[in-house]
Amino acid sequence: MSASLGKVLLLASCLWLTACAPEPELHRQQFFAFGTLIEISLYDVDTQTARSAIDAIETRFQHWHTDWHAWQPSGLTRINAELARTGTATVDDPQLLQLITTGRTLSLASGGRFNPAAGGLFALWGFQRDEAAAGPVPEDADIAAWLNEAPDMRDLDIEGARLTHHNPKLQLDLGAIAKGYASTLAIELLKARGIHHAIVAAAGDLHAIGRHGERPWHIGIRHPRGAGVIASTDLADGESISTSGDYERYFEQDGVRYHHLLDPASGRPARTTTAVTVIHTDGATADAAATALFIAGDDWPTVARVMGVTQVMRVDEQGAVELTPAMAQRLQFAAPVPETVRERALP
Amino acid sequence: MRNLGSRTDAIIVLLAALLVGASYVVLWTPADPAHRALIHTADGALEPIDLDHDRTLPISGPLGTSHLEIHAGRMRFAGSPCPNQACVHTGWLSQVGDFAACLPNRVSVTLVNDRPAFDALNF
């Protein structure tokens, strides 16, 4: 008996010892860039490699921040100034050129709902500002004047590194794509350093590669109302997830919330949606699509189809959740589960 | 031998049940109350803060001092020198994964237990 019991206990201890074997270390570091908190998580790398990789990524983010900024003096503000003055400008930085080119392609696919040419509209609403609060609500006449010219990315020609515009109101603001694009660029930099398991999380835009050891990376998606998460999902190797919500940047005036997801068709914050989450293999596409589908409102499946995104969650103003079938398969809702959850297939 | 066999079986069943129970505790993370707060500032991460005694923590940032209040195991931004007060409007944080940030003053708070519920948050 004692021999059998001994074997069983030995077996059990072996199981527990295996379970308690030291895991490879997780390295996690945060820094501020792009006006938000950037978090890098690396798994299964030694401390020195992790430190130098995270330092390199932070340096790149600070460079992108200063090169792509839409209102602090940057490579982009110089381009906007030249476009306004002469109608043409040359983009020196290859990554900025790629960002503008990708932005144009995605904007056209979104039917102009994601509109990086609408810098003038963001400025009008006071969203191009760091220290003071955004707002107030612009005069109707000022919104009408912008809508009269309605610049979009069709007004911008790109030949090599040379930009030419056909609309004096065109002002580039890449805020709705830059973080998604940067998260994917940062992942490429990590891969070039031989790192295969990582998350680059730039607030609402996150790109992951590899896994956390034996399990996939597990990501929580913020609830658009309150401080908790609405749902979570595992990310596969190379997936990006982006969320656009009305809680990110907003001001309140006379009891009404005015958020930064402006509909270029009305010149005002898009109503009917509170958050959209998109999963895709490309960070820029996920980021731009989250904005475009937010602005599309109830018509989001049509826009998702054209933009080539199949994994979408939308939360509407009543708190009802809509999911594509592909998203429904992978999402786990946190308690309390939303009262209304429905699937909507893409057309 | 029969007796020995059945006793061994019983021990194995008992251990299996314990393992299943332990797996639930380790792997299943429903909405659960948090015990600690991770605070991040412009100067980096602070030591994790226990939520077990009530107090208010002054946290310095580029705009001034943000006040983080701990009360009854919950935490909130009681005040912050930012223009739109989004952090204050977030209200009380109490569950693992709850998050609030004053981006202008570069102070962020995430609630955790011993094991984080998520590898990252999309917000």
Side-chain angles (χ1 to χ4, degrees):
Chain A
M1 186 203 99
S2 65
S4 295
L5 180 60
K7 277 180 196 166
V8 169
L9 286 177
L10 185 65
L11 178 67
S13 344
C14 286
L15 284 173
W16 282 112
L17 280 176
T18 319
C20 298
E23 283 192 19
E25 208 177 334
L26 176 72
H27 298 273
R28 178 170 286 161
Q29 202 167 311
Q30 300 172 315
F31 55 87
F32 286 92
F34 289 170
T36 191
L37 192 65
I38 315 285
E39 184 176 84
I40 314 290
S41 305
L42 307 179
Y43 191 78
D44 199 15
V45 283
D46 63 77
T47 304
Q48 199 176 347
T49 308
R51 276 201 192 137
S52 82
I54 291 172
D55 285 350
I57 297 290
E58 181 172 358
T59 306
R60 292 311 297 166
F61 262 96
Q62 301 305 349
H63 167 77
W64 295 327
H65 177 100
T66 51
D67 200 38
W68 306 345
H69 208 287
W71 58 93
Q72 292 169 5
S74 70
L76 186 65
T77 56
R78 181 188 62 74
I79 288 164
N80 274 333
E82 274 186 39
L83 281 175
R85 199 174 63 245
T86 67
T88 182
T90 302
V91 186
D92 301 325
D93 185 288
Q95 286 177 331
L96 178 54
L97 180 63
Q98 182 64 46
L99 177 55
I100 295 169
T101 308
T102 305
R104 186 177 189 280
T105 306
L106 289 167
S107 178
L108 298 192
S110 78
R113 290 171 182 87
F114 155 64
N115 185 0
L121 185 62
F122 296 119
L124 197 57
W125 282 84
F127 286 118
Q128 288 190 344
R129 212 181 278 164
D130 292 312
E131 302 307 335
V137 176
E139 296 293 328
D140 287 348
D142 292 334
I143 295 175
W146 189 87
L147 289 172
N148 201 32
E149 305 288 345
D152 66 37
M153 292 303 266
R154 289 173 301 184
D155 297 322
L156 187 74
D157 290 338
I158 306 174
E159 283 181 54
R162 190 152 193 82
L163 311 182
T164 313
H165 78 76
H166 316 292
N167 189 321
K169 289 264 185 194
L170 183 141
Q171 289 280 293
L172 294 171
D173 181 328
L174 303 162
I177 184 176
K179 293 206 305 296
Y181 178 67
S183 66
T184 298
L185 281 184
I187 284 288
E188 294 303 322
L189 286 173
L190 291 173
K191 286 203 281 197
R193 287 171 167 259
I195 293 169
H196 304 295
H197 305 282
I199 297 177
V200 175
D205 303 289
L206 181 160
H207 198 135
I209 46 167
R211 25 195 310 124
H212 182 289
E214 292 301 307
R215 62 173 179 82
W217 294 112
H218 193 58
I219 307 302
I221 302 165
R222 189 188 149 161
H223 200 294
R225 297 291 176 263
V229 302
I230 186 167
S232 63
T233 184
D234 290 338
L235 283 191
D237 181 36
E239 282 189 324
S240 274
I241 180 167
S242 282
T243 297
S244 283
D246 66 357
Y247 50 83
E248 293 170 69
R249 296 180 64 205
Y250 64 88
F251 63 92
E252 281 176 0
Q253 188 172 320
D254 302 327
V256 179
R257 178 185 292 207
Y258 296 92
H259 60 78
H260 73 299
L261 293 153
L262 301 174
D263 182 352
S266 67
R268 297 166 187 281
R271 299 300 180 192
T272 77
T273 300
T274 55
V276 168
T277 300
V278 174
I279 298 177
H280 194 269
T281 50
D282 175 57
T285 302
D287 194 357
T291 300
L293 303 189
F294 187 107
I295 287 164
D298 195 50
D299 198 26
W300 67 265
T302 313
V303 182
R305 160 67 71 194
V306 183
M307 294 189 81
V309 298
T310 58
Q311 306 192 55
V312 181
M313 172 172 72
R314 176 207 182 209
V315 186
D316 75 12
E317 278 198 312
Q318 283 73 46
V321 174
E322 296 184 327
L323 302 163
T324 57
M327 191 65 127
Q329 278 178 11
R330 65 184 298 167
L331 222 55
Q332 300 139 41
F333 286 100
V337 174
E339 274 179 28
T340 309
V341 179
R342 56 180 168 257
E343 283 191 33
R344 282 184 74 181
L346 301 187
Chain B
M1 277 309 284
R2 260 182 78 123
N3 261 346
L4 286 184
S6 64
R7 199 171 295 175
T8 313
D9 288 349
I11 292 169
I12 290 176
V13 166
L14 181 68
L15 280 171
L18 281 174
L19 275 170
V20 168
S23 312
Y24 263 94
V25 173
V26 174
L27 300 175
W28 193 55
T29 50
D32 54 340
H35 299 134
R36 284 190 292 172
L38 300 180
I39 300 172
H40 194 273
T41 73
D43 297 326
L46 306 184
E47 285 295 307
I49 303 286
D50 285 333
L51 299 177
D52 48 7
H53 10 265
D54 295 357
R55 65 211 136 120
T56 298
L57 307 169
I59 309 286
S60 298
L63 297 187
T65 304
S66 297
H67 294 278
L68 292 173
E69 181 184 355
I70 300 170
H71 179 69
R74 305 180 299 164
M75 183 179 244
R76 68 168 178 174
F77 275 88
S80 204
C82 55
N84 65 15
Q85 300 285 297
C87 53
V88 176
H89 292 152
T90 303
W92 287 105
L93 314 183
S94 59
Q95 304 291 313
V96 171
D98 281 5
F99 172 86
C102 178
L103 291 172
N105 206 30
R106 302 195 161 191
V107 179
S108 77
V109 179
T110 311
L111 297 198
V112 296
N113 272 346
D114 297 328
R115 183 180 177 278
F118 307 107
D119 293 307
L121 272 183
N122 192 233
F123 58 93

